[in-house]
Amino acid sequence: MKDRIFHALQIPADMAKGVALMEISGHQEVRIENFKGLCSYDPMLVRVLASGYMIIVEGNNMQISYYSDVIMKITGEIDSIHFERR
């Protein structure tokens, strides 16, 4: 039933299930959508809470160049992105 409603409203399945979406552009930019919150930020480490896990972005000279309630853009010299189950 819920799936049919989301389909009728043309809501992507990922968004309907609360899954974070990431778009990575090389090693200099990552966009994260549908996250729960920002846990910590400094120029070498960004920790973003998603549904059931933490997204950890490590690198140098990182900045949050855009932040809203649904999307975040992190730029800088990104070395790694990994996940930590919560």
Side-chain angles (χ1 to χ4, degrees):
M1 173 76 166
K2 193 185 292 187
D3 289 337
R4 283 188 274 158
I5 293 170
F6 291 134
H7 180 71
L9 295 174
Q10 297 181 343
I11 297 173
D14 295 343
M15 296 292 278
K17 294 178 183 175
V19 176
L21 302 173
M22 294 185 5
E23 179 181 311
I24 302 167
S25 299
H27 68 281
Q28 296 177 331
E29 179 180 299
V30 61
R31 285 177 17 128
I32 304 172
E33 295 181 41
N34 204 27
F35 59 92
K36 301 291 183 189
L38 177 64
C39 291
S40 65
Y41 161 71
D42 68 50
M44 297 179 71
L45 179 74
V46 180
R47 294 170 50 90
V48 179
L49 181 61
S51 184
Y53 57 95
M54 185 78 62
I55 301 168
I56 301 166
V57 183
E58 295 179 297
N60 293 300
N61 303 316
M62 292 192 303
Q63 299 177 1
I64 297 175
S65 56
Y66 182 79
Y67 185 92
S68 76
D69 59 338
V70 293
I71 195 165
M72 173 189 312
K73 183 166 116 178
I74 302 167
T75 57
E77 301 169 26
I78 298 170
D79 293 329
S80 69
I81 301 170
H82 58 277
F83 306 92
E84 183 180 288
R85 291 187 192 263
R86 298 196 43 86

